[in-house]
Amino acid sequence: MLGSTGIGAELLGLKEEVRMKAMVLREFCEIELEGEARKRTDLPLKKAPLEMAELPAPTPDLKQVLIKVSACGVCHTELDEIEGRLVPPQFPIILGHEVVGRIERLGSGVTKFTLGDRVGVAWIYSSCGRCDFCLRGDENLCDQFQATGLDAHGGYAQYIVISEDFAYPIPEKFSDSQAAPLLCAGVIGYRALRLSGIKPNQVLGLYGFGASAHIAIQVANHWGCTVFVFTRKGQKEHQALAEQLGAQWVGATGDTPPEKLDAAIDFTPVGEPVREALGVLKKGGRVVINAIRKINPIPELDYATYVWHEREIKSVANVARRDAEEFLPLAAQIPIIPSVQEFELQEANQALRLLKAGRMRGAGVLRISE
Ligand SMILES: [Zn+2]
Ligand SMILES: [Zn+2]
């Protein structure tokens, strides 16, 4: 579907630069929430951490595509970037790593896509393509791994450029807004499942029940696994949702499930679930930790109780191309349809405040161009 805008930009690009609107982050700040007087950091307090700017649209180089962005998901990672827990190499930076749009220009070396194709962009923006990790498909571990919306400009904008190798076709099943959250929570949840080594009909434990776990449980059910969900004590809403999404048993971290686990995935930011999961694992089982950092240590592990009999601990770092390539068609087939709350691009600050306050209903998505 090649629109007139596509051709227009192509011609314009040769003569004069195309301008675009973007919401940019110029400095770290603490996001100010309504009715919350307490300041937690030394950073300036701002209700509106991002600023609307008009910038030259990027131009694709040899192997890159220019995407006209139609939707971009709003993720907790953006809160970490704004409040300085994740540090971009330069300011200003355009955030956003759950990007959906149509290809409007092609670098001269692009072979995988044509103008008008609908594609998505995830957290992985690029990698070196030559190291051992890249060559074996673990480009998420590459020393030169770059993240979208952190090391390179992301999707809170009308346009983004990215290598054709890190753009993924979006199945027809999804609207632009529905596809956006799948590109982060979905792809990461899928990677964690994959690394857990779980097989059909086995027993899987999920610790913590946020966005990634919501999606992982639907994939595990589809594979015929028995899924047990462990949440913090008293998290009634999460527990009810877990049951609704097909958990066969729901309890609190530290509870003994009806059967031992073949594998467990820990989606929590704390240390205790790692030990608790090891404690209810079968011999030879594996615990996968899906967290960049833990806010408190993993408790001491008594070797005989928690580790002996070939039990394993493995962490998940970033995502690889293969995770997005495999997960998107699988999500369409199951299907996994995220519920979303939509905002205009200029309402990004409002969306970020809702997310920080825990008041977002479903996944937040910015609608950018039609
Ligand atoms: Zn994310
Ligand atoms: Zn590499």
Side-chain angles (χ1 to χ4, degrees), residues 95-256:
L95 309 180
H97 57 265
E98 307 174 9
V99 191
V100 178
R102 288 193 183 273
I103 294 181
E104 196 161 287
R105 286 183 67 185
L106 304 167
S108 57
V110 169
T111 56
K112 293 184 181 167
F113 296 106
T114 56
L115 289 176
D117 283 352
R118 189 169 72 140
V119 294
V121 174
W123 177 242
I124 183 165
Y125 184 81
S126 66
S127 69
C128 84
R130 295 177 300 273
C131 70
D132 289 345
F133 293 121
C134 284
L135 292 176
R136 69 174 200 223
D138 292 329
E139 60 274 1
N140 59 311
L141 301 178
C142 175
D143 287 340
Q144 290 175 49
F145 175 92
Q146 293 209 310
T148 312
L150 178 72
D151 301 306
H153 287 313
Y156 284 28
Q158 289 177 305
Y159 291 97
I160 183 176
V161 287
I162 191 161
S163 159
E164 63 171 344
D165 290 335
F166 296 99
Y168 317 101
I170 301 289
E172 275 181 26
K173 183 97 195 163
F174 307 112
S175 69
D176 295 348
S177 293
Q178 288 169 340
L182 295 175
L183 287 157
C184 183
V187 173
I188 288 171
Y190 178 74
R191 180 168 186 84
L193 273 174
R194 203 156 72 71
L195 296 192
S196 78
I198 194 78
K199 296 189 175 59
N201 306 316
Q202 288 188 330
V203 181
L204 176 71
L206 299 177
Y207 286 77
F209 203 66
S212 285
H214 285 182
I215 293 175
I217 192 174
Q218 296 178 66
V219 176
N221 281 337
H222 178 74
W223 288 343
C225 299
T226 297
V227 184
F228 299 152
V229 171
F230 303 75
T231 69
R232 263 182 297 169
K233 272 207 170 54
Q235 285 202 320
K236 292 269 180 289
E237 250 179 65
H238 284 184
Q239 295 186 341
L241 184 59
E243 272 168 6
Q244 204 184 313
L245 286 176
Q248 267 101 338
W249 174 89
V250 178
T253 297
D255 287 355
T256 305

